[in-house]
Amino acid sequence: MMLQRQAVPVLGVEATPLDVAGLTGVLNRFVADGTTRTVVGHNLHSVTLFHSEPEFRKFYEDSDVVLIDGAPVLWLWGRGKHHAVPVMDYRLGSTDWIPALGEVRGLERIAILGAGPVANARAVAKLQGIVPGATVSGMPGDGWNDDIEEAAVEWLAEQRPQLVLVGLGMPLQEEVLLRRLGSLPPAVYCAVGGAIEQIAGIQKLAPRWLGRLGLEWAWRLVLHPRRVAYRVLGEPWVLLGLLVRRRLQRRTAAGSHGSSRTSGP
């Protein structure tokens, strides 16, 4: 059963806004029921893919939890709302909630899929410290291809984890889960992007105060200009075009529908 979604004005997407405690409670239920679940996050990049890639959109629409991982998305969702906690508490990037996995009851087997060998191994060690009672296993994902994908499916079948952190980058991680979810063992599959390298300490995290101001993009642009320049400076314009086209299509459809109802024989 999926959690109730809430619309994000303007962007045409829905999310399940949760703070860390709320997500921990949800993961408690998911781990206890032992079925297959998916947890993803919305930022401007995922919103762009949502409106441009039909399969990506389907994956998000079918996911159990869609967190808000992006200040613009959060601001639009929280505009005019009153909450018991600050609106920024509902911004949950993977590195915000992964340190709280030790609060998830009954979590005994965790798998980390993605990043290079060094980052993956360091992330495994970090998670072992966060959840001391769990067995944490890892498989790198750099150079991803069909052979590695087949090996990952077999590896997960052997490990039979309860929770899997899939950090292959967006949209590859979502494409893999969409293709393979039906043949993977029951678990909570969380798409975490670059969080594996961040947990491992290889990729530096932005100071939390920058994140709360919605300026984490500037930190990433300075540290990794080639990697994120298009997403920061170019993709918002692509998204704007997609949203404008979506609105025009809706107006055209509404106009056509109105005309057909009023036209005579």
Side-chain angles (χ1 to χ4, degrees):
M1 180 178 181
M2 289 191 294
L3 299 177
Q4 186 175 3
R5 300 281 178 87
Q6 297 182 25
V8 179
V10 180
L11 296 182
V13 299
E14 294 182 338
T16 42
L18 296 166
D19 58 12
V20 173
L23 179 59
T24 300
V26 169
L27 293 177
N28 277 329
R29 298 200 299 273
F30 286 176
V31 170
D33 71 28
T35 58
T36 296
R37 306 283 191 166
T38 52
V39 178
V40 297
H42 252 321
N43 52 34
L44 288 184
H45 184 44
S46 64
V47 173
T48 303
L49 292 169
F50 182 93
H51 288 297
S52 60
E53 302 291 339
E55 290 192 346
F56 186 93
R57 177 175 188 142
K58 175 175 172 50
F59 180 71
Y60 265 64
E61 289 177 335
D62 292 343
S63 290
D64 296 280
V65 175
V66 183
L67 302 172
I68 298 179
D69 175 22
V73 181
L74 180 66
W75 289 334
L76 287 169
W77 168 77
R79 189 175 53 184
K81 290 183 173 66
H82 299 284
H83 302 281
V85 299
V87 170
M88 284 303 295
D89 285 1
Y90 292 93
R91 185 189 178 192
L92 286 194
S94 301
T95 53
D96 294 315
W97 58 263
I98 288 175
L101 286 177
E103 304 298 319
V104 178
R105 296 185 299 272
L107 186 55
E108 299 175 348
R109 299 181 306 281
I110 302 172
I112 301 178
L113 176 62
V118 173
N120 190 281
R122 290 184 183 179
V124 167
K126 182 72 172 181
L127 260 293
Q128 194 70 71
I130 292 172
V131 194
T135 298
V136 185
S137 54
M139 177 177 175
D142 55 348
W144 192 267
N145 56 34
D146 291 344
D147 291 338
I148 296 175
E149 188 167 314
E150 290 292 344
V153 171
E154 295 178 7
W155 175 73
L156 287 169
E158 293 171 359
Q159 300 297 321
R160 301 202 65 81
Q162 296 162 291
L163 183 140
V164 184
L165 303 181
V166 186
L168 300 174
M170 184 184 290
L172 176 58
Q173 60 199 10
E174 290 81 11
E175 293 169 354
V176 170
L177 287 173
L178 182 62
R179 281 196 299 267
R180 296 291 191 166
L181 200 59
S183 59
L184 294 176
V188 183
Y189 292 89
C190 306
V192 300
I196 295 175
E197 290 187 345
Q198 293 167 345
I199 295 166
I202 290 177
Q203 187 180 125
K204 292 183 66 176
L205 283 169
R208 301 317 298 155
W209 64 269
L210 269 182
R212 297 190 74 83
L213 290 174
L215 296 174
E216 191 171 337
W217 61 268
W219 174 268
R220 293 179 179 176
L221 184 60
V222 169
L223 290 184
H224 309 286
R226 292 186 178 180
R227 184 188 301 181
V228 303
Y230 173 74
R231 285 179 56 174
V232 170
L233 302 175
E235 197 169 62
W237 296 103
V238 175
L239 176 58
L240 178 61
L242 290 169
L243 294 176
V244 169
R245 184 177 67 181
R246 174 174 170 269
R247 174 163 291 191
L248 291 174
Q249 288 173 340
R250 286 190 168 187
R251 285 184 178 178
T252 301
S256 300
H257 183 65
S259 298
S260 64
R261 286 194 303 174
T262 56
S263 60

